[in-house]
Amino acid sequence: SVEEGERTSREVARERRPSRESPEPAPRAFPPDLATLYDHFLRSQLYARQAEQDEEHATELRRKELDELRQASRLEPESGYVHALIADRLLLLSSTDEAQQQVRIALKKEPELPLAYLVLGKLHLYREQPAEAIEAFKKCLELEPDHAEATARLVDVYQQMAKNHLLEEQYPEAIEWYEKALEVAPYRQLIYLNMAYAYSRMEEYEKAIELYRELRRAHPTRVGRAEM
């Protein structure tokens, strides 16, 4: 009958409706080791921020940050990323030998890790090895083309090499390094100006003027302000 059909429909609806007495599924928790690892990373970041804000106690805070990263490494020993982070922090504490050891471990575990090559480049700069630093930064950018810090550091090395030649009045060599810098960072105005200066010292005034025009085309507002 219709009545029985309606009653059956209501019963079916009740069966489909979840019971209020049914227990809610328990939320999934992090595995204990993963939770502890995450905690060490958070603490390391906290100490890093404090070190940036407290110059007087920066060394002590950096050591605490390093200790947290070491503990994270014990929980995740196969992570090249953690070893690269440790190497980077060791550089801030001028522990270059240990930093080099950590970079080697990082690259052994993760040979294509951009961070490891970035830190390796910084290590070479610390040791005044610009040629080796350039190769490390270029490798980092090969693996991660948009890596901002590697880009900035590579351009800085190119500009420093160019400046060294300028001071020695070796203008063609300086221009070669500035050209390398422009390939990486065509937006940096100072490179154009320094190249133009080098050309003017060589009495190649047309090239100097053309560089200045190119700079004005790329940055008309900024160059106009600089002239004022």
Side-chain angles (χ1 to χ4, degrees), residues 2-3 21 61 75-76 123 134 142-143 148 151 160-162 168 176 183 186-187 191 205 214 216 218 222 225 227:
V2 175
E3 219 173 277
E21 297 176 0
L61 291 165
L75 292 171
E76 194 71 16
L123 174 63
I134 287 170
E142 177 186 322
L143 296 168
T151 299
Q160 185 59 52
M161 297 295 287
E168 296 295 327
E176 287 181 13
E183 288 177 8
Y187 47 82
I191 302 173
Y205 300 114
E214 188 176 343
R216 290 201 64 170
R222 293 183 181 179
R225 288 176 181 171
E227 290 176 331

Side-chain angles (χ1 to χ4, degrees), residues 103-174:
V103 169
R104 286 175 177 169
I105 295 172
L107 288 172
K108 184 177 180 180
K109 294 182 182 299
E110 298 185 50
E112 302 294 299
L113 182 65
L115 177 62
Y117 287 101
L118 173 70
V119 178
L120 180 61
K122 292 161 73 172
L123 174 63
H124 284 307
L125 282 183
Y126 190 93
R127 291 176 168 173
E128 298 183 355
Q129 299 168 328
E132 291 84 350
I134 287 170
E135 292 307 311
F137 293 140
K138 286 170 69 175
K139 181 63 177 179
C140 178
L141 289 169
E142 177 186 322
L143 296 168
E144 190 176 330
D146 295 328
H147 199 295
E149 185 176 355
T151 299
R153 287 185 176 274
L154 180 59
V155 174
D156 287 345
V157 178
Y158 284 153
Q159 289 194 101
Q160 185 59 52
M161 297 295 287
K163 181 179 179 181
N164 293 343
H165 286 294
L166 275 183
L167 294 174
E168 296 295 327
E169 298 185 356
Q170 298 168 344
Y171 303 117
E173 291 84 352

Side-chain angles (χ1 to χ4, degrees), residues 59 62-63 66 86-100 123 126-127:
T59 300
R62 288 295 184 192
R63 292 190 185 282
L66 183 58
I86 291 172
D88 191 49
R89 300 319 186 257
L90 285 165
L91 279 180
L92 292 174
L93 295 169
S94 301
S95 300
T96 55
D97 291 340
E98 192 177 355
Q100 183 175 12
L123 174 63
Y126 190 93
R127 291 176 168 173

